[in-house]
């Protein structure tokens, strides 16, 4: 039974996530289904708290690795903020900056 709802910062964010390679999208769908039932923090290796209410969904498939940043709001709502394909060990500062800016917009809205 679903207890949490998933929404997106914008339709562009949703489109970008669904345009990721097939095996990564499959992992995304699986983890989102778990979030809808168990909540936003699935713990490592699936999710990681980034601080200040920002989380990352850690996706790995045969085509590579991707991350989706998200936050939660009152009322058990998870908002997907930003996604990117990971090419280095560290999360690029620019990708984190985009997610953080969107998180602030959501909180101030």
């Amino acid at each position: 039974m679903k207890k949490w709802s998933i929404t997106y910062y914008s339709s562009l964010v949703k489109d970008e996530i669904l345009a990721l390679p097939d095996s990564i999208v499959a992992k995304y769908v699986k983890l989102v289904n778990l979030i809808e039932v168990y909540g936003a923090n699935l713990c490592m290796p699936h999710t990681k708290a980034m601080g200040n209410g920002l989380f990352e969904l850690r996706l790995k498939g045969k085509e590579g690795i991707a991350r989706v940043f998200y936050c939660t709001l009152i009322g058990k709502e998870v908002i997907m903020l930003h996604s990117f394909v990971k090419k280095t060990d560290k999360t690029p500062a620019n990708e984190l900056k985009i997610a953080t800016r969107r998180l602030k917009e959501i909180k101030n809205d």
Side-chain angles (χ1 to χ4, degrees), residues 9 14 22 28 44 50 52 56 60 65 69 71 89 91 94 98:
Y9 174 80
K14 184 176 183 177
D22 290 345
Y28 171 79
M44 290 292 280
M50 302 296 285
N52 297 322
E56 75 172 1
K60 189 174 185 178
I65 297 171
F69 289 113
C71 65
D89 285 345
T91 297
N94 185 50
I98 292 168

Side-chain angles (χ1 to χ4, degrees), residues 34-106:
L34 290 173
I35 287 172
E36 287 176 328
V37 175
Y38 298 107
N41 192 0
L42 300 177
C43 298
M44 290 292 280
H46 308 299
T47 61
K48 180 179 177 184
M50 302 296 285
N52 297 322
L54 186 67
F55 293 86
E56 75 172 1
L57 195 57
R58 304 164 60 83
L59 307 172
K60 189 174 185 178
K62 64 182 179 186
E63 297 99 344
I65 297 171
R67 297 289 187 257
V68 178
F69 289 113
Y70 65 96
C71 65
T72 60
L73 292 179
I74 296 171
K76 296 190 176 185
E77 181 180 3
V78 173
I79 301 172
M80 301 299 170
L81 300 170
H82 178 61
S83 68
F84 68 98
V85 174
K86 194 163 183 201
K87 296 180 178 160
T88 62
D89 285 345
K90 286 191 79 171
T91 297
N94 185 50
E95 304 293 354
L96 190 55
K97 192 182 296 183
I98 292 168
T100 302
R101 185 184 77 239
R102 291 177 178 175
L103 174 63
K104 286 179 185 172
E105 288 176 24
I106 297 259

